[in-house]
Amino acid sequence: MADAMTPRSPDETRLLERARERLPGGVLGTSRYADDVGFVVKSGRGSKIYDVSGRQYIDYVLASGPLILGHAHPAVVAAVREQLEAGTTYFMVNEPIIELAEEICRAVPCAEQVRFTSTGSEATFFALRVARTSRRRDKVLKFEGGYHGAHDYAMMSSAPRSPKAFPAAVPDSSGIPRAIEDEVLIAPYNDLATVEGIVATHADELAAVIVEPFQRLIPPQPGFLPGLREITRRYGVLLVFDEVVTGFRLAYGGAQQYYGVVPDIACVGKIAGGGFPLAAVCASEELMRPFDPQQDGTGDFISQSGTLNGNPIAAVAGLATLRELRKPGAYETIHGTGKRLMAGLGELAQRSGLPAQVVGEPVVFDLIFTDEPVTDFRSLQKGDSTLGRTFTTELIKRGVVKNSQKMYVSLVHSADDVGVTLQACEDALKVLPKGKKRRPA
Ligand SMILES: Cc1ncc(COP(=O)(O)O)c(C=O)c1O
């Protein structure tokens, strides 16, 4: 096995060129690594991925989160292999998807019924449609810096370059109709007073408050989620938890269990599909009734369909993943690994003299290059993003791959992985430019 310092092979160089010819930017979405460390994945197994040059990386991207059991987990592979022989998709109700719906309802406190989609983006899009149908109002409130996928209502102030005064929304993408901006109100995360002011002013036109209960990397401050619950209830606005990241990750019952607050509607995805395209909207029977085709013609009917909705391959992969997560000690193991990484990284950051801190929960976190408290999007933006990108690049050179501003921890990251990762972090921090100094404690 080549180590990460091995030069890129001619085959991989050619593949990267072909990617640039046929894929805009040579990538699949918005993430892009520096040119000198870009690579083409060949395979993944456990906590590692391997590129076409044969180099090995400890993987903290985990396919952007679904692979909490690591790559090619034997239980997932066996379940998928068996289902493949019985057909790959039906566009009809099937046993695995019923079982997965039942398991989601057992796990997720607000769930009595679920509607499956293929992506988390669709799940949040339809969750907002459920809220508008129930409340007969159009506007939704989301938080600055919160990410709910790529649809027009979600792509508002998730990463504004020039934020406006609250509650005005800034579109994150071109091509979004101007009218959508007026339908989305923006509030600062972890700031209940501002939320309450906006909700009070717009209560009669507001259908929902949608929130990532743990926003990207930023934990909710004590009282924030209970406060949101109380304010939304008081003004008759529905509370939507986007648990696409947190579902089955912070705990088996997601953020609702971990933080002890139950919303009206939740969206799950990523882990629930075991590495295949699947997500879901979950809520009470009453809120979910408009999805029932028998409601067609009543004026309340929510039209929602998708070719791959209820896909049995994704269902068996999700069920196999959830079975592993229900085994005693699974969450203790994941949280334990994450805590060791967070503590080690925090100590290294302190010793480096750079203004940097570890932000997150043990299951998802990263090093942010500021020593000011990080509680919302604007304070997160104070982090030095150039240092952050260089840190990510230097880690890749040392065989550790992560997203910019996110490290996902899996059940299969070993004590050895933690040791190698922390050594790579120490070495990467040493080569970062030392222009800025930590404020004296
Ligand atoms: C919190 C959150 N919501 C929604 C989504 C969108 O999910 P998908 O990429 O499956 O459309 C994501 C994706 O990363 C997410 O992190």
Side-chain angles (χ1 to χ4, degrees), residues 119-121 147-149 212 216 242 244-245 270:
T119 65
S121 295
Y147 181 71
H148 305 295
E212 286 186 84
R216 310 278 76 203
D242 177 351
V244 169
V245 166
K270 298 203 191 258

Side-chain angles (χ1 to χ4, degrees), residues 278-298:
L278 178 143
V281 183
C282 322
S284 64
E285 269 187 63
E286 189 189 342
L287 283 171
M288 297 293 280
R289 191 169 303 121
F291 282 127
D292 179 347
Q294 291 182 52
Q295 298 296 310
D296 197 358
T298 64

Side-chain angles (χ1 to χ4, degrees), residues 396-415:
I396 295 174
K397 288 182 190 165
R398 291 163 176 80
V400 171
V401 67
K402 69 176 194 64
N403 278 338
S404 68
Q405 290 201 346
K406 229 171 213 196
M407 289 177 82
Y408 280 108
V409 176
S410 79
L411 190 57
V412 295
H413 282 110
S414 64

Side-chain angles (χ1 to χ4, degrees), residues 10 12 15 35 55 58 61 65 92 138 155 157 171 185 193 205 208 212 215 217-218 259-260 282 302 307 332 377:
E12 190 167 30
L15 275 170
D35 282 342
R55 297 174 291 194
I58 302 175
V61 177
M92 286 180 217
D138 284 349
M155 287 268 95
S157 295
L185 306 172
E205 49 183 0
E212 286 186 84
Q215 185 171 292
L217 277 182
I218 311 171
Y259 297 124
C282 322
I302 298 178
T307 302
E332 285 80 353
F377 174 75

Side-chain angles (χ1 to χ4, degrees), residues 106-182:
R106 265 193 290 276
V108 177
C110 77
E112 288 177 359
Q113 292 195 330
V114 308
R115 170 54 64 101
F116 288 105
T117 61
S118 295
T119 65
S121 295
E122 291 168 89
T124 64
F125 178 82
F126 287 108
L128 296 179
R129 212 177 260 184
V130 170
R132 289 192 204 96
T133 301
S134 160
R135 300 291 98 171
R136 302 191 184 287
R137 302 172 194 148
D138 284 349
K139 289 197 197 311
V140 298
L141 182 150
K142 78 174 280 292
F143 291 89
E144 191 175 64
Y147 181 71
H148 305 295
H151 58 81
D152 289 354
Y153 298 93
M155 287 268 95
M156 288 289 163
S157 295
S158 65
R161 280 176 200 274
S162 311
K164 292 186 190 162
F166 300 112
V170 180
D172 297 303
S173 168
S174 68
I176 298 178
R178 169 71 187 79
I180 306 282
E181 276 170 57
D182 297 332

Side-chain angles (χ1 to χ4, degrees), residues 18-41:
R18 284 167 56 193
R20 272 194 294 273
E21 277 161 30
R22 295 296 172 204
L23 305 168
V27 296
L28 302 171
T30 51
S31 309
R32 192 169 194 287
Y33 293 122
D35 282 342
D36 56 332
V37 294
F39 60 92
V40 177
V41 180

